[in-house]
Amino acid sequence: MRRLLPRLALALCAVSAFAGFFALGTWQLERRAWKLDLIERVDQRVHAPAVDAPGPGQWPTVNRAADEYRHVRATGRFLHDRETLVQATTELGSGYWVLTPLRMADGRSLLVNRGFVTPAQQKQRAARRESGPAEPAEPAESVTVTGLLRMTEPRGALLRDNDPGADRWYSRDVQAIALARGLSDVAPYFVDADAAAAAPGGPVGGLTVIAFPNNHLVYALTWYALALMVAGATWIVVRQERRRAEEGSPDGSHD
């Protein structure tokens, strides 16, 4: 009896560990299938013809799963005097995203990420504005913008909160930016402008990074390997116990 209880406890632990690791491996395979489906759906959205950006009637239902990276278009007039610079790091280096409200004919507004500028480019743009009217790269007439629908980025970036009072922005928080710039009736999302939508000499668009880490197969194999290790270790322990029992029995029989 003294030997039976430890063996039962060991067997229960081994079965529980094996079942847990095996279940985690299976869950990772399910996650992999979901991730591959997501990547395919996003790829279809990105390369689909542009459609009208969701209007006010659709705003309450716009969500990340169904709408992010959808290729959209919108027509209106840029409010360059209410643009916001958001710190950014891109393949072109460190600098700023230029978020400019697009005022549409019906009075609603849409924040458009017109693209990236370096600190030096931003200083040049600011100097030109102070010395005269808006530069040619920033037309005041009605324009049509195409790009990818993106969901708002509340609060800020990792370890850095947005500071509207100091006009320091680390994420594209639509609601906070709209409040800071005195905008009303603003879409709850923003649009990353296509490269083709950028005016010569203006911010560089089309830099949206679309990347979905997909390491689920590696994780699944790891969990399955741990399950096999548990099974192997249990088999070794059982074999050793049987060997000890046989060696300890005068007639070589099992306990």
Side-chain angles (χ1 to χ4, degrees), residues 40-113:
E40 182 180 356
R41 285 187 282 114
V42 168
D43 186 67
Q44 291 175 352
R45 293 176 195 171
V46 170
H47 296 97
V51 297
D52 291 337
Q58 300 168 283
W59 288 354
T61 60
V62 172
N63 63 82
R64 191 177 304 278
D67 300 292
E68 188 154 39
Y69 301 111
R70 193 176 298 281
H71 198 193
V72 299
R73 63 172 174 264
T75 300
R77 183 174 57 85
F78 278 126
L79 306 179
H80 295 290
D81 59 331
R82 302 193 194 186
E83 78 175 22
T84 300
L85 300 180
V86 180
Q87 289 197 14
T89 300
T90 73
E91 61 187 42
L92 301 179
S94 298
Y96 304 95
W97 296 123
V98 180
L99 265 68
T100 309
L102 184 73
R103 178 65 55 79
M104 289 172 270
D106 59 4
R108 59 191 170 96
S109 297
L110 168 65
L111 284 184
V112 176
N113 176 17

Side-chain angles (χ1 to χ4, degrees), residues 154-179:
R155 292 177 292 279
L158 182 64
L159 302 179
R160 295 184 298 181
D161 292 332
N162 292 327
D163 186 353
D167 201 27
R168 285 197 293 267
W169 301 91
Y170 303 101
S171 73
R172 293 161 293 190
D173 186 335
V174 172
Q175 287 75 19
I177 291 175
L179 181 63

